[in-house]
Amino acid sequence: MITKNYPTRKGTNYEVFARDNPERPLQHIGTVQAENEQLAIAHARFVYSERPWAELIIAPSDGFLDCLRTGKRGVIGIA
Amino acid sequence: MNEKTLNNENLLAEMLCISDTKWVLGHWYAKIILNGRTVPDFSSMAGMSQDELGHTRAMLNYLEQSQGLPEHQLEFGRGVEQVHNMELLDDAPKSWADFVVSVYLAENALWSMQEAYVEGSNRAVANLCKKFAEEGYFHRIYIEGWLAALEGDELAQATKSVHDRLAHARQWFTESTSDNLLGSGERTMSLAQCRDHFEQAVQKLSETLGIEMPASIESTQEWDFVRRRATGSRMPARLWEYVVPTSEVAEMARRPLAVSVKDNIDLFNEKKVKDETAPFFDQ
């Protein structure tokens, strides 16, 4: 069997949040993967362009701190 | 010729320099879509292509209305020798790095020129340029991201690209002896100030690539101040055919126009009759 080592794209996952009205809370609308912040911002702008957002922000996925998660101490949902 | 007519013609020429460059740039993005490396790349390049072609049509539509020209004549009724596109984009990109550098220079040159109209006295042009700037901001962010991601051989290719193409972008800001658009307040910055603004982007490019920028060299070619290109030059035939396909099949597939372009070939010298009943942008 022939295998090839194709170059893989280095990238970071970014979570994308948006609100379509300034009075509404931010909502998670998806993720993008990009090699740097500028590309991530542009990807978010072009991929999630289905609405004229009042605000569109991104954050690196590994920038979030676990509060509750399956397998960690604590209970998810209403105890 | 009175001053109002003179300014109309100067404004038409300069707006065509912007819109025709965007026209070609939009086609560059469309052609390069399949070179994207991920689905978001495809979406981004398709989005940028759509933006640039949308800006072009919005500006051409405004110019046709303001100059009393029949609709779509500026898109389909001009010959290649009447198109005002920037020479920078005449040659197809030779590599990914060449593409990134070329569109970086083109986007920033366009922004440096458009910015001078955002506070200008012609509110229709100012509003169009402001909208172009809002959307172009994300184009520049995207290109800067790709510049920062270049590595290895790509950096050498980018350096060569800078040496090949930067002079065309700088030359685009060449000033004539009189600047009526600055005097009338339609443009609030001189072309020298626009060029200074562009040089800030060049400096940023220099820092990102870690290279020295070539010094400006005065061109020895005769310059056409109306089209902002070397006198008598035009985009290559292959590129023009891509921008406005003229094959028999392509012409058959075109949407019919209200007025045949064949009736209005001489757009710039014939006496223009303004249609007072046509809708018009607020000034």
Side-chain angles (χ1 to χ4, degrees), chain A residues 9-10 31-33 35-47 56, chain B residues 37-38 40-41 43-44 47-48 51 138-139 141-142 144-146 148-149 151:
Chain A
R9 182 189 169 107
K10 296 169 293 183
T31 61
V32 290
Q33 190 184 42
E35 289 173 321
N36 53 46
E37 284 181 9
Q38 292 130 303
L39 283 172
I41 290 170
H43 283 166
R45 158 70 174 78
F46 289 114
V47 172
L56 180 71
Chain B
R37 300 181 188 182
T38 61
D41 271 346
S43 303
S44 299
M48 293 197 294
D51 286 348
F138 290 97
H139 300 194
I141 288 265
Y142 179 76
E144 285 169 18
W146 268 120
E151 57 187 11

Side-chain angles (χ1 to χ4, degrees), chain B residues 33 51 71 90-91 153 264 283:
Chain B
I33 286 174
D51 286 348
E71 63 175 358
D90 276 4
D91 292 332
D153 291 347
N264 292 276
Q283 290 282 344

Side-chain angles (χ1 to χ4, degrees), chain B residues 39-99:
Chain B
V39 172
D41 271 346
F42 298 155
S43 303
S44 299
M45 281 190 256
M48 293 197 294
S49 176
Q50 178 183 307
D51 286 348
E52 298 296 353
L53 297 178
H55 298 170
T56 304
R57 288 189 173 147
M59 181 59 82
L60 295 184
N61 185 262
Y62 164 71
L63 294 174
E64 284 162 354
Q65 290 190 20
S66 65
Q67 302 293 314
L69 298 171
E71 63 175 358
H72 304 308
Q73 299 298 299
L74 289 175
E75 184 170 352
F76 295 111
R78 284 184 293 167
V80 64
E81 70 286 352
Q82 292 175 309
V83 176
H84 296 210
N85 64 304
M86 197 189 297
E87 278 182 272
L88 168 74
L89 299 175
D90 276 4
D91 292 332
K94 297 175 184 68
S95 63
W96 175 253
D98 187 25
F99 166 74

Side-chain angles (χ1 to χ4, degrees), chain B residues 229-250:
Chain B
R229 303 174 54 96
T231 302
S233 68
R234 57 186 69 177
M235 75 173 89
R238 199 170 160 199
L239 177 60
W240 177 236
E241 181 64 24
Y242 176 53
V243 173
V244 182
T246 54
S247 67
E248 190 183 350
V249 177

Side-chain angles (χ1 to χ4, degrees), chain B residues 111-142:
Chain B
W111 163 230
S112 301
M113 184 75 89
Q114 286 164 190
E115 189 187 16
Y117 284 93
V118 170
E119 299 296 331
S121 60
N122 186 322
R123 295 315 302 160
V125 168
N127 288 338
L128 282 169
C129 287
K130 192 173 174 191
K131 182 66 180 166
F132 297 170
E134 285 171 2
E135 296 184 350
Y137 167 78
F138 290 97
H139 300 194
R140 296 196 302 280
I141 288 265
Y142 179 76

Side-chain angles (χ1 to χ4, degrees), chain B residues 198-267:
Chain B
F198 173 69
E199 288 297 334
Q200 291 173 18
V202 173
Q203 181 59 32
K204 196 171 175 183
L205 178 64
S206 164
E207 289 163 10
T208 306
L209 296 177
I211 60 170
E212 287 287 318
M213 285 293 143
S216 299
I217 302 170
E218 288 295 320
S219 171
T220 53
Q221 289 177 301
E222 195 181 336
W223 187 249
D224 180 348
F225 290 99
V226 174
R227 294 171 64 223
R228 301 202 167 281
R229 303 174 54 96
T231 302
S233 68
R234 57 186 69 177
M235 75 173 89
R238 199 170 160 199
L239 177 60
W240 177 236
E241 181 64 24
Y242 176 53
V243 173
V244 182
T246 54
S247 67
E248 190 183 350
V249 177
E251 287 202 4
M252 280 168 62
R254 275 188 197 168
R255 284 171 298 158
L257 301 178
V259 178
S260 166
V261 293
K262 290 174 182 160
D263 297 340
N264 292 276
I265 298 300
D266 193 0
L267 290 174

